[in-house]
Amino acid sequence: EVDLRYIVGIGAVEGGAVLITFQDVTEREQANQMRRDFVANVSHELRTPLTALMGFIETLRGAARDDPAARDRFLTIMEGEASRMNRLVGDLLSLNRVESKERIRPKEQMDLVAHLCSTLKTMQPLADAGNVSLNFSPPEVPVMIIGDPDQLLQVFINLVENAIKYGGDQVEVTLELLDRDPSLRAPAVRVQVTDNGAGIDPIHLPRLTERFYRADNHRSREMGGTGLGLAIVKHIVNRHRGRLRVESDLGAGTCFSVTLPLS
Ligand code: ADP
């Protein structure tokens, strides 16, 4: 019994035999399945805030119509739901851009030290708001790599933001730049983002960079997470021919490390 969809050619060969050419569709089927799952996930993620918005609009038209205090409260919630949708669409577009560029090697010479210092400056207000201390002792000499500064900014912002978001109260986030990592054969540099926060259960670690995968679903949604941050990070690191690693101890903290080839 043969599934006709897998036949890509039929021809006669000498001696009255028939040549049937099959195509291995496993990979294509897998890609199609991934696409279908992705569309289902996106629809689900968009539908949740949309359903909430529609519910509140109905309430505003009805019961809360003449109650200014309730109206204000509902409008604030609606604003939050709308910005969740906005973040999701923004992250989807970022993922799309990053994926489409993945095969194009970055070209720009850049100093990773200066880059990390300016990333931390951007993150300082968020850290202050969460009572988090951000530590980084930059090396005194520049560390040159070939990279895409905008994309690497996105990588380190995502990692530091996660450390702040999931770390919990009074957490400390430390950035380290290990120049010329001796454990690697090719000259490379390693950036580590370590927190002493809640940590991640080891069963989640292998799947963290999958789109929409969340180790703590409730907390991620509560913190406004889209579940796409680490997927974006992974694609950017791949584009730089780098490596992303995570180590974590539940209750003790997490360390994400990004290894990048030196220019
Ligand atoms: P999200 O938008 O949910 O933050 P990410 O892709 O950035 O999505 O992260 C995936 C999941 O990994 C998060 O939902 C969270 O459960 C977990 N996670 C990421 N970073 C940390 C961290 N520093 N500490 C604890 N959990 C983390």
Side-chain angles (χ1 to χ4, degrees):
E1 220 171 281
V2 171
D3 188 328
L4 292 177
R5 285 176 306 165
Y6 301 166
I7 297 177
V8 289
I10 302 181
V13 288
E14 249 173 72
V18 175
L19 176 76
I20 304 179
T21 323
F22 295 91
Q23 187 180 29
D24 181 1
V25 290
T26 333
E27 225 172 78
R28 209 174 56 199
E29 233 349 277
Q30 271 173 354
N32 282 340
Q33 186 59 44
M34 274 172 71
R35 229 184 335 263
R36 282 193 293 270
D37 288 348
F38 182 61
V39 172
N41 277 329
V42 171
S43 312
H44 173 76
E45 296 286 335
L46 281 171
R47 183 165 272 173
T48 312
L50 207 54
T51 308
L53 279 174
M54 285 161 72
F56 282 115
I57 289 171
E58 208 169 301
T59 319
L60 283 177
R61 280 227 173 95
R65 200 175 173 151
D66 304 315
D67 181 347
R71 211 172 47 212
D72 277 356
R73 211 170 55 243
F74 291 156
L75 283 171
T76 307
I77 302 174
M78 288 168 78
E79 207 172 16
E81 295 296 334
S83 60
R84 170 197 287 279
M85 287 174 76
N86 199 22
R87 257 193 320 273
L88 179 62
V89 173
D91 276 359
L92 283 169
L93 289 172
S94 281
L95 189 62
N96 203 34
R97 258 196 313 270
V98 165
E99 272 184 320
S100 65
K101 269 192 179 175
E102 196 164 332
R103 282 168 206 275
I104 309 165
R105 295 279 285 136
K107 291 193 190 77
E108 211 169 308
Q109 282 263 3
M110 54 179 279
D111 172 17
L112 196 54
V113 179
H115 190 268
L116 288 173
C117 288
S118 76
T119 307
L120 285 190
K121 230 185 227 163
T122 315
M123 300 309 291
Q124 197 60 55
L126 186 73
D128 291 343
N131 214 1
V132 168
S133 76
L134 270 184
N135 312 311
F136 180 47
S137 312
E140 307 218 327
V141 285
V143 173
M144 300 308 291
I145 59 163
I146 293 177
D148 180 325
D150 290 338
Q151 286 197 338
L152 288 178
L153 182 70
Q154 209 171 352
V155 165
F156 297 117
I157 282 187
N158 277 348
L159 295 180
V160 173
E161 199 176 85
N162 277 350
I164 296 173
K165 271 195 316 197
Y166 300 112
D169 223 15
Q170 306 272 310
V171 78
E172 270 195 34
V173 178
T174 307
L175 246 85
E176 275 168 291
L177 201 156
L178 307 163
D179 195 2
R180 298 192 183 274
D181 184 342
S183 70
L184 297 162
R185 263 174 282 142
V189 65
R190 190 161 77 198
V191 182
Q192 289 188 172
V193 181
T194 313
D195 69 67
N196 58 351
I200 306 168
D201 190 315
I203 59 160
H204 297 296
L205 296 182
R207 299 192 59 192
L208 277 191
T209 56
E210 286 176 24
R211 299 153 177 189
F212 299 115
Y213 192 86
R214 294 160 166 116
D216 183 341
N217 215 346
H218 176 71
R219 185 145 175 80
S220 163
R221 285 171 198 280
E222 190 189 4
M223 304 305 288
T226 61
L228 293 174
L230 289 177
I232 295 172
V233 166
K234 174 84 182 154
H235 280 290
I236 297 177
V237 173
N238 283 349
R239 184 183 172 216
H240 285 76
R241 306 262 157 95
R243 224 163 47 184
L244 175 72
R245 285 221 200 120
V246 55
E247 285 166 42
S248 190
D249 265 331
L250 205 53
T254 305
C255 173
F256 280 93
S257 70
V258 176
T259 303
L260 297 166
L262 279 166
S263 69

